[in-house]
Amino acid sequence: QVQLVESGGGLVQAGGSLRLSCAVSGRAFSYYAMGWFRQAPGKEREFVAAISRSSSSTVYVDSVKGRFTISRDNAKNTVYLQMNSLKPEDTAVYYCAADPVFSTSYSTTDRSEYDYWGQGTRVIVSS
């Protein structure tokens, strides 16, 4: 059984920063491409960022490019989302997700490809 536990959410003023973490247990973390998604109140869950098994490939939604950085530490079984220059529209519950893949350079924006999900951590950005 794979478990994902997010942490690091909270309340921050616009322009501030937060770093989200997602700890993965249960199976070899290095076999998963990882993604971050978010869901704002009344909206669909949307893709934010993804990273391949080897960290060689990353992809971001346009709205966070240049502000957010996804990274992973395979020795610590953890994926991170560094969020800078936060805006009120970044307010959402943030979820990490794991996609078991063969290729070490593959990552995807497709929510349906992710098999495992965390419970989410809430981020509130005040104006």
Side-chain angles (χ1 to χ4, degrees):
Q1 185 72 12
V2 178
Q3 292 186 322
L4 290 74
V5 179
E6 303 97 335
S7 60
L11 173 64
V12 63
Q13 289 189 332
S17 298
L18 284 175
R19 187 174 83 153
L20 306 184
S21 299
C22 174
V24 180
S25 62
R27 294 189 66 180
F29 175 71
S30 63
Y31 285 103
Y32 298 105
M34 298 297 298
W36 285 97
F37 292 76
R38 67 186 179 186
Q39 188 166 17
K43 294 189 176 182
E44 293 282 322
R45 190 172 300 189
E46 68 167 351
F47 169 78
V48 177
I51 188 168
S52 63
R53 289 173 52 191
S54 65
S55 300
S56 61
S57 171
T58 58
V59 60
Y60 299 90
V61 67
D62 285 347
S63 60
V64 309
K65 284 180 181 177
R67 300 189 298 121
F68 290 12
T69 302
I70 188 171
S71 62
R72 65 189 293 161
D73 185 336
N74 286 349
K76 294 183 178 180
N77 292 357
T78 302
V79 62
Y80 304 97
L81 186 67
Q82 178 67 45
M83 306 187 296
N84 299 328
S85 302
L86 282 160
K87 304 176 180 180
E89 51 264 42
D90 295 318
T91 294
V93 178
Y94 284 72
Y95 299 89
C96 68
D99 177 16
V101 294
F102 178 77
S103 170
T104 59
S105 60
Y106 179 80
S107 61
T108 181
T109 65
D110 187 348
R111 187 174 69 182
S112 68
E113 292 197 27
Y114 290 85
D115 288 355
Y116 305 102
W117 293 81
Q119 293 300 305
T121 185
R122 187 175 302 276
V123 173
I124 301 173
V125 184
S126 63
S127 57

